[in-house]
Amino acid sequence: MQGTIDGFSYGLVTPLVAYFMACLGGALGLRCTTRSMLVSHTWRPGWLALGSAAIGSGIWTMHFVAMMGFTVRGTPIHYDKAMTFASLAVAIVMVGVGIFIVGYKGARGTALFTGGTITGLGIASMHYLGMASMSLDGKLEYDTVTVGISVAIAMGAATAALWAAGQVRGFLWSVGASLVMGLAVSGMHYTGMAALSVHLHGTAEPATGESPAALLAPMLIGPLAFLLLAGVVVMFDPLMVMGKPTVAPVEQKPGIPAHTHVRHSAHRLRFRPRRIVEHRGSRTPQNR
C-alpha cells in the first residue's frame, strides 16, 4: 500500500525556519573560511575547523527542523538516535575536507571544484543518512533521477558558495554566499524529499526508535548553542583568535633589504632642516 506523504504539515513554518538555520550555519562557516585566508598559517586550521563545524551543524539542524513537518499518513515515524547523530559527524567531516581544500589551495580551479564537490557530497550524505535513520511501518523508495538532481544541486550551489567566500571582498560577499549555501541545503533537501515514496506494510507492529519530540531538545540546545558561540567569535573577531595577517610589511618581504626605506626616511628628515638653516644663514648678510 502506498503511503501518503506530507512534508509541510506545519505549513511554511518548518521550511522557513529550516532555511534560516541553513543560512546561519553557512554564514558563520563561510565567514570563518574567509577569515582563514587573511591570517597566518598557525591560526588557519582553527578557523577552518570552526567553519566546518558551523556549516555541518547548520545543515544538520536544517534537515531535522524540516523533518518536523514530515509525516506519512497511516504510520508513526521514529528515529534511530545513533544514526541520527552519525549523520551530524558525516556532515562535519565531509564539509571540513572541502573547506580545508579551499582554505589552503584557494577558491579557484581544481581546488574549488574539488572542495565544492566534496562539500556538496557531504550535504547529500548527511541528508540520506538522516533519512535512513527513520523507522516506520513501511519501506522507503527513491527515484534515482531525482536523487541525482538533488546531489547535483548540492554540489553546484556549494561550489558557488565557496567561490564567493574565497573572494575575500567584505561582509556582504559572505552574506550572499551564505544565502547561496542555504539554497544549496534547502534545495537539495526538498528535491531529495520529492524523490521519496513510502510503501506501507500494513502491519500492526510498532516502529522502534526515538520519537521526533525526543530529538528536538538536543537538536536545538546542542547545535544552536554552538552556532551562537561561533557567531560571537565571528562578530567580535578578537585579535587573540584571529592572529596576525599573513601580509608582511614592505621591509620584511623577500628580496627587499630590511629597514632600507626607514633609514632613507630618517636620513632625509635629519639633514633637511640643517640645509634650510645654512641657506638662510648665507642670505642674512645680503638682506641686511
Side-chain angles (χ1 to χ4, degrees):
M1 182 177 63
Q2 198 73 17
T4 302
I5 298 175
D6 184 7
F8 305 94
S9 58
Y10 294 103
L12 294 178
V13 175
T14 49
L16 291 177
V17 175
Y19 176 71
F20 173 77
M21 294 307 306
C23 290
L24 176 61
L28 297 177
L30 295 174
R31 191 61 180 170
C32 291
T33 304
T34 302
R35 281 285 191 263
S36 72
M37 300 178 182
L38 301 175
V39 299
S40 63
H41 287 276
T42 303
W43 293 97
R44 185 169 299 177
W47 277 108
L48 293 175
L50 181 62
S52 304
I55 294 178
S57 299
I59 63 178
W60 184 82
T61 306
M62 175 272 157
H63 173 82
F64 285 100
V65 166
M67 291 306 292
M68 292 297 102
F70 177 79
T71 58
V72 179
R73 186 177 301 174
T75 179
I77 300 176
H78 302 277
Y79 292 87
D80 179 79
K81 192 171 184 179
M83 191 174 295
T84 297
F85 288 101
S87 65
L88 173 61
V90 169
I92 294 176
V93 171
M94 293 194 66
V95 169
V97 172
I99 286 181
F100 267 78
I101 291 175
V102 172
Y104 278 94
K105 299 297 183 180
R108 60 185 181 275
T110 305
L112 176 61
F113 175 78
T114 304
T117 299
I118 295 176
T119 301
L121 289 176
I123 297 172
S125 299
M126 183 281 307
H127 172 83
Y128 289 106
L129 185 58
M131 294 297 294
S133 68
M134 288 195 308
S135 176
L136 48 81
D137 184 25
K139 179 182 179 181
L140 303 181
E141 297 176 349
Y142 293 93
D143 179 71
T144 305
V145 176
T146 311
V147 169
I149 294 174
S150 69
V151 176
I153 291 174
M155 292 189 299
T159 302
L162 290 177
W163 174 83
Q167 300 309 302
V168 195
R169 294 183 180 179
F171 181 73
L172 292 180
W173 275 78
S174 296
V175 172
S178 68
L179 296 178
V180 173
M181 179 64 78
L183 288 176
V185 180
S186 300
M188 184 272 146
H189 174 85
Y190 286 104
T191 304
M193 297 305 295
L196 174 67
S197 61
V198 179
H199 182 76
L200 297 179
H201 297 323
T203 62
E205 297 178 0
T208 60
E210 296 289 337
S211 66
L215 290 176
L216 182 61
M219 181 175 63
L220 294 179
I221 295 175
L224 283 179
F226 172 78
L227 290 175
L228 178 62
L229 178 61
V232 172
V233 172
V234 172
M235 287 178 59
F236 288 94
D237 200 18
L239 185 61
M240 62 180 296
V241 176
M242 182 176 178
K244 296 181 179 180
T246 55
V247 180
V250 176
E251 62 270 16
Q252 297 179 3
K253 289 183 178 180
I256 299 180
H259 307 294
T260 301
H261 180 72
V262 176
R263 290 180 180 179
H264 181 67
S265 300
H267 177 77
R268 293 177 60 185
L269 292 175
R270 183 170 61 250
F271 286 100
R272 181 176 295 176
R274 187 174 298 176
R275 289 179 180 177
I276 295 175
V277 172
E278 292 176 358
H279 182 68
R280 289 180 178 178
S282 61
R283 294 183 57 183
T284 301
Q286 297 177 1
N287 295 335
R288 290 179 179 177

